[in-house]
Amino acid sequence: MKLSKRITTLTEDESGGWALYFKARALVEAGESVTELTIGEHDVGTDAAILDEMHRAAKAGHTGYAAIPGIPALRDEVAARVAATTGVPTTGDNVVITAGGQAALFAAHMAACDPGDRALFIDPYYATYPGTLRGAGAVPVAVPARAENAFQPDPKDIAAAAPGAASLLINTPNNPTGVVYSRATLEGVAEAAQTHDFWVISDEVYDTQIWEGEHLSMRALPGMADRTLVVGSMSKSHAMTGSRIGWIIGPDEAVRHLINLSTHTTYGVAGYIQKAALFALRRGIDFETGIAEPFRRRREIALKILEGQNVVRAVPPQGAMYLMLDIRTTGLSGTAFAEKLLDQRRIAVMPGESFGRAAAGHVRVATTIADDAFAAALEELVQFAAAQI
Ligand code: PMP
């Protein structure tokens, strides 16, 4: 039976850039020992106190259909947090709770783009972006952030791609590069958005993982609150990846329509998950700092290991749980390097090419395993790289 073009052409190939990850998984399933530095998932589970609250809420009856926009207390809590960190007046009416950041990305593009509209995104990009944009009916258009510019997007490149665009998706702190966008970058984006009248969809799911500089939200720039949809999530900030809880923050008219979309897609997020999320947010910033701490530590460990050699160069990681390593001195592509490293050393890293053309000749290393094992794997990766020359 014929399937829709929309679904059969969602990604360029069926792996959607995850081929190396699937290969590593298959090896593990076959009983091999593989050091997994591929995906952005914490090496700790969700905190026991959050799970207790989830359990308590479920036992207390929050197992039926929950409020589709999100329970009011959670929407208010998210709004208060955003108002405090951005200085932009924000109420619960500016917030819709979603099934994680991924559902928020899809919904935000459904709100910003009509079928066939140009939807810009920055390359290197988080692997689901082009498929998400296509899924929403838009035509994804990549705007490169160049390695020689330390992967900061150049507003000139954005302005060049902007005519006729309906939206631009940005992500800071960035996955896969670890780059935090500078004020100048964001001001350039804001200017292009206002000149060319497009929406900015600002993926800020790593906003609690900042190692250098500060996180600036696109929504806080003058004139941007009316044309920005911020994507947030508790996956990374609270180690709640499996709970599928996130949000979109935007103008109240956009949020009203997004709630209608939720009614016709997810029908909201489980009440006991929302209650647990509320409890988790109320634990405050110290809890979030604690969740981020291992990634800060491993970044330091990595930078020490990479010091004093010049075969593997790190793109300075200012945030998030990844290192983007430039391995072009080996003469290998990121894909060839990652495949050889997996075949010969049983270490799995993501090829830069999985994240777009701009990250060719790089590999992304997730800082998501215990310190000692992480240090040993990175040391071996450096030796392996040197042996290729
Ligand atoms: N955006 C970025 C940049 C991500 O890295 C991820 C997850 N890896 C997401 C969004 C989606 O996360 P979730 O759906 O778990 O909130």
Side-chain angles (χ1 to χ4, degrees):
M1 196 48 206
K2 185 172 162 293
L3 289 161
S4 74
K5 278 208 190 64
R6 185 191 292 258
I7 202 160
T8 53
T9 60
L10 196 70
T11 50
E12 268 152 17
D13 65 65
E14 263 180 42
S15 78
W18 296 103
L20 195 292
Y21 165 74
F22 293 135
K23 191 169 167 187
R25 275 283 153 106
L27 285 170
V28 172
E29 268 160 35
E32 298 253 3
S33 160
V34 175
T35 305
E36 273 263 25
L37 301 169
T38 48
I39 63 163
E41 176 131 46
H42 314 68
D43 48 330
V44 295
T46 303
D47 187 76
I50 299 174
L51 296 179
D52 286 345
E53 173 61 12
M54 209 179 277
H55 186 69
R56 189 206 61 74
K59 286 281 211 184
H62 295 280
T63 52
Y65 292 127
I68 292 174
I71 55 175
L74 181 58
R75 294 175 82 198
D76 289 347
E77 186 71 30
V78 171
R81 171 193 173 106
V82 169
T85 53
T86 62
V88 183
T90 308
T91 72
D93 289 340
N94 299 117
V95 179
V96 55
I97 301 299
T98 63
Q102 181 55 46
L105 285 165
F106 178 74
H109 284 89
M110 288 290 281
C113 301
D114 275 317
D117 275 353
R118 282 160 65 84
L120 310 182
F121 66 106
I122 308 290
D123 169 2
Y125 52 84
Y126 172 49
T128 69
Y129 280 4
T132 305
L133 276 46
R134 277 188 211 103
V139 177
V141 177
V143 179
R146 298 166 210 283
E148 56 274 22
N149 203 15
F151 292 116
Q152 282 282 338
D154 184 335
K156 284 203 284 297
D157 290 326
I158 293 169
S167 63
L168 164 66
L169 171 56
I170 61 170
N171 170 221
T172 179
N174 189 266
N175 175 15
T177 62
V179 168
V180 171
Y181 289 4
S182 66
R183 182 176 287 279
T185 298
L186 292 179
E187 283 173 354
V189 170
E191 198 185 316
Q194 290 172 30
T195 307
H196 296 279
D197 195 23
F198 59 74
W199 284 94
V200 177
I201 297 168
S202 183
D203 179 342
E204 301 180 16
V205 305
Y206 293 98
D207 62 353
T208 61
Q209 298 182 4
I210 295 279
W211 323 130
E212 254 175 42
E214 56 169 338
H215 171 66
L216 281 172
S217 175
M218 192 71 230
R219 196 163 169 269
L221 269 75
M224 289 307 291
D226 288 343
R227 58 172 67 249
T228 303
L229 299 171
V230 176
V231 169
S233 168
M234 297 188 63
S235 286
K236 315 292 172 176
S237 58
H238 292 77
M240 292 181 72
T241 49
S243 291
R244 315 307 307 130
I245 179 108
W247 51 77
I248 299 174
I249 303 174
D252 47 10
E253 190 198 353
V255 166
R256 276 204 321 277
H257 289 289
L258 284 162
I259 292 166
N260 195 18
L261 180 66
S262 291
T263 304
H264 295 87
T265 52
T266 59
Y267 215 75
V269 175
Y272 51 90
I273 299 285
Q274 295 198 56
K275 285 279 188 186
L278 178 60
F279 170 85
L281 283 176
R282 286 184 174 160
R283 295 187 76 180
I285 192 76
D286 287 351
F287 178 74
E288 293 163 29
T289 307
I291 296 287
E293 187 50 35
F295 309 117
R296 176 191 298 280
R297 214 169 53 226
R298 291 172 200 149
R299 168 187 180 272
E300 294 296 325
I301 292 172
L303 293 180
K304 277 231 163 59
I305 291 172
L306 295 171
E307 248 173 40
Q309 55 82 48
N310 49 22
V311 178
V312 176
R313 284 191 309 109
V315 175
Q318 300 160 302
M321 59 212 319
Y322 312 98
L323 294 168
M324 191 58 119
L325 301 179
D326 182 346
I327 49 88
R328 284 176 289 181
T329 54
T330 64
L332 296 175
S333 68
T335 307
F337 184 95
E339 280 186 357
K340 233 172 147 182
L341 185 69
L342 180 61
D343 289 344
Q344 297 182 7
R345 307 287 177 107
R346 291 292 186 255
I347 297 173
V349 297
M350 291 295 284
E353 291 83 356
S354 291
F355 307 104
R357 292 209 185 118
H362 291 67
V363 292
R364 189 196 74 173
V365 172
T367 59
T368 48
I369 61 170
D371 296 17
D372 289 354
F374 175 71
L378 199 60
E379 273 161 8
E380 192 165 350
L381 182 152
V382 171
Q383 281 167 15
F384 170 82
Q388 307 308 307
I389 295 175

